[in-house]
Structures are given as structure tokens and as C-alpha cells.
Amino acid sequence: MTNSRMNPKVDEFLSKAKKWKEEYEQLRNIVLDCELTEEFKWMHPCYTFEKNNIVLIHGFKEYCALLFHKGALLQDAHGILIRQTENVQAARQIRFTNVREIVEMETILKDYIYEAIEVEKAGLEVNFKKNTEIIIPEELQNKFNEIPALKTAFEALTPGRQRAYILYFSQPKQSKTRESRVEKCIQQILNGKGLND
């Protein structure tokens, strides 16, 4: 089945997927049914509504998941949204370990996706708790704005790991050096690793 909203980069991603391939395809069909735009961001299929990220499909060793960018704002009528760690403020996951679960939950998943679209249409924002002791250097903040997944990953790190990165990024006097330090650590942060892991 092809439809105009399918993104060739996602086709490629699926063709290379060694694990969760069937699950990804099933999730993709469900999400595309909800009239979202399929994009490929942060190496994953990402679905947007009027350029705003709604939901992302990603997989880990133990499970694959639909990640709702503003999941914290959803009603979660079925109590299925998972917060990856207590430091994640906005995003929530629905996790799966096999295709059958996805098929059985199709209607529920669509309800959640439509609700997430409504949240976006209403312009609702997650109120982030301010962490007074951590001052994010501008160079890191710029990257967060560019790569929302980086912000999500960073917030998922333990406070100690966050502080270690912030100290490391803030040390150099020159912005260019700070920037290159941030650049070098992006993948490590996305992988959920601390500075010295």
C-alpha cells in the first residue's frame, strides 16, 4: 500500500530494520490513517501536524514504542502512557513487544493520536519544571531547539549526568569551543549516556 503521505526515507528505514520491522509497519499504517505528515527526523519515522511533531516511532532492545512529544498533556484514559524516566517532562511512550498488541490496540492508539493532534491544534504547551541549579548554556539550548529529541534525551539523564555535561559545555571561554563540545556529545546524549560512561 502506498499513499502520497509516505516518506521514502521511512521506507528505507523499514527496509533496514532488523528488529521490530512488522511492528513498525503496523504502527506506520495506523499513524498514517490519522492524516499526519510522515517525516524522518533523528533517524526515526516522525509524524507531524502542520510542522509540529506529534508522534515518533522508535525501537529499543526490549520494546518498540510510539513516543508522543506532548504525551504529558494527554488524558491517558487507558493508563498506557509511560514516562521513560522521571526527568522526562513532556514525552510519553506506549510500548509494544509484538505485532498482535499493536493490532489489538489500533482503535485506542488512533484515539490517542487524534487527541495529540487536538492538543497541538489548541496550542497547549507542557509547563516545564524549572531546574534552578542547572543553567543551560546557550550553545546547548540552540541544539535543543534544533533537535527536540536531544532535549528529550538530555532530560532523561540523571541530574548528575546533566550537571556533568553542563559543566563540561560551559567551561570554554569561546562560544565556538563550547559549540564544538556540544556537537561532539550529541550522539552520546541521544544514546542516553553520561559524559564519562
Side-chain angles (χ1 to χ4, degrees):
M1 96 166 213
T2 54
N3 77 38
S4 59
R5 284 196 307 277
M6 288 190 155
N7 187 313
K9 286 189 175 147
V10 174
D11 294 331
E12 194 188 336
F13 169 83
L14 290 171
S15 72
K16 290 185 183 151
K18 293 192 176 39
K19 204 175 175 172
W20 310 119
K21 191 178 165 80
E22 268 187 277
E23 287 77 4
Y24 288 154
E25 283 170 358
Q26 193 63 41
L27 287 170
R28 178 192 203 184
N29 292 338
I30 290 173
V31 181
L32 284 174
D33 264 357
C34 300
E35 310 290 313
L36 291 173
T37 306
E38 181 168 76
E39 298 189 41
F40 192 68
K41 299 182 176 185
W42 316 295
M43 318 300 293
H44 289 89
C46 180
Y47 299 84
T48 61
F49 171 79
E50 290 176 357
K51 303 255 187 293
N52 292 311
N53 302 320
I54 300 291
V55 71
L56 176 104
I57 295 175
H58 60 174
F60 297 88
K61 207 162 69 203
E62 326 285 320
Y63 62 89
C64 64
L66 271 184
L67 179 83
F68 289 87
H69 291 274
K70 292 186 180 176
L73 297 174
L74 301 180
Q75 304 293 324
D76 195 11
H78 298 270
I80 50 180
L81 291 178
I82 295 172
R83 192 174 174 181
Q84 270 173 291
T85 69
E86 69 247 31
N87 294 311
V88 174
Q89 299 194 31
R92 296 290 182 274
Q93 291 176 327
I94 301 179
R95 295 179 180 176
F96 315 95
T97 50
N98 60 58
V99 158
R100 204 182 58 246
E101 294 176 343
I102 297 170
V103 173
E104 286 168 1
M105 284 175 70
E106 179 166 346
T107 0
I108 294 175
L109 295 178
K110 285 184 175 172
D111 288 345
Y112 276 63
I113 294 165
Y114 285 126
E115 189 190 344
I117 295 170
E118 288 310 315
V119 160
E120 205 45 69
K121 282 183 182 167
L124 301 180
E125 290 296 336
V126 176
N127 289 324
F128 289 101
K129 289 198 290 291
K130 296 284 174 274
N131 194 333
T132 44
E133 58 196 320
I134 292 185
I135 293 160
I136 306 270
E138 191 184 343
E139 294 76 10
L140 182 58
Q141 189 53 56
N142 293 342
K143 279 291 164 210
F144 284 169
N145 300 342
E146 231 173 273
I147 316 172
L150 182 64
K151 186 173 197 295
T152 309
F154 187 81
E155 287 169 355
L157 296 170
T158 60
R161 286 193 171 117
Q162 290 183 18
R163 270 194 294 276
Y165 274 122
I166 301 272
L167 282 170
Y168 175 67
F169 296 152
S170 308
Q171 276 161 354
K173 299 255 183 295
Q174 286 191 310
S175 171
K176 211 162 77 213
T177 318
R178 291 198 294 270
E179 212 166 283
S180 91
R181 280 192 176 188
V182 172
E183 282 289 343
K184 285 195 187 96
C185 294
I186 289 177
Q187 199 48 56
Q188 204 166 340
I189 295 173
L190 288 172
N191 294 341
K193 301 242 189 301
L195 188 57
N196 309 310
D197 290 354

